[in-house]
Amino acid sequence: QVQLVESGGGLVQAGGSLRLSCAASGQSLDNYVMGWFRQAPGKEREFVAAIAWSGGSTYCSDSVKGRFTISRAKNAVYLQMNSLKPEDTAVYYCARARRTPYPPRSLVGVSDYDYWGQGTQVTVSS
């Protein structure tokens, strides 16, 4: 079992920055991919970014590329969000991918992940 706990969400003005954290416990993250997803009201959960724990390769969705950065250290995954826009408003979830040989760019579906955190709200005001 893996426990994932997100933190760092909040209210920020457009153009501002936030750093989300995801603390993982219960199992080693070696050889897994960790991802961030988000879900806005009335919309489906969508992929944001992912990182391979071993090696550190990353992949971001086109909607956040150049503004968001995913990183990892010890037992935590981070999402640095810059130049935030009102359309970035959502609940952000951290997740661990199922054990596969695939790189982060191939793990962009909700069904590719089996452990999820409870989410943290990010609200960007215009």
Side-chain angles (χ1 to χ4, degrees), residues 18 40-41 47 50-51 53 73 75 82-83 92 94 117-118:
L18 281 176
F47 171 81
I51 185 167
W53 197 262
N75 289 328
N82 299 327
S83 302
Y92 282 71
C94 171
Q118 82 290 349

Side-chain angles (χ1 to χ4, degrees), residues 19-40:
R19 187 190 194 214
L20 304 184
S21 300
C22 172
S25 62
Q27 284 186 359
S28 170
L29 299 180
D30 289 349
N31 300 315
Y32 286 98
V33 168
M34 297 294 295
W36 284 97
F37 285 73
R38 65 187 181 185
Q39 188 166 18

Side-chain angles (χ1 to χ4, degrees), residues 20-97:
L20 304 184
S21 300
C22 172
S25 62
Q27 284 186 359
S28 170
L29 299 180
D30 289 349
N31 300 315
Y32 286 98
V33 168
M34 297 294 295
W36 284 97
F37 285 73
R38 65 187 181 185
Q39 188 166 18
K43 295 188 176 181
E44 293 187 352
R45 194 168 297 190
E46 65 170 357
F47 171 81
V48 175
I51 185 167
W53 197 262
S54 302
S57 61
T58 64
Y59 181 72
C60 291
S61 68
D62 288 343
S63 62
V64 306
K65 199 166 292 182
R67 301 187 298 123
F68 291 12
T69 302
I70 187 172
S71 62
R72 90 272 191 249
K74 293 186 179 180
N75 289 328
V77 181
Y78 304 97
L79 187 67
Q80 177 67 43
M81 306 186 296
N82 299 327
S83 302
L84 283 161
K85 305 174 182 179
E87 51 263 44
D88 294 319
T89 295
V91 177
Y92 282 71
Y93 297 91
C94 171
R96 193 202 73 176

Side-chain angles (χ1 to χ4, degrees), residues 89-113:
T89 295
V91 177
Y92 282 71
Y93 297 91
C94 171
R96 193 202 73 176
R98 305 177 191 278
R99 185 184 288 274
T100 77
Y102 302 109
R105 67 179 183 273
S106 298
L107 299 172
V108 299
V110 170
S111 62
D112 293 323
Y113 294 77

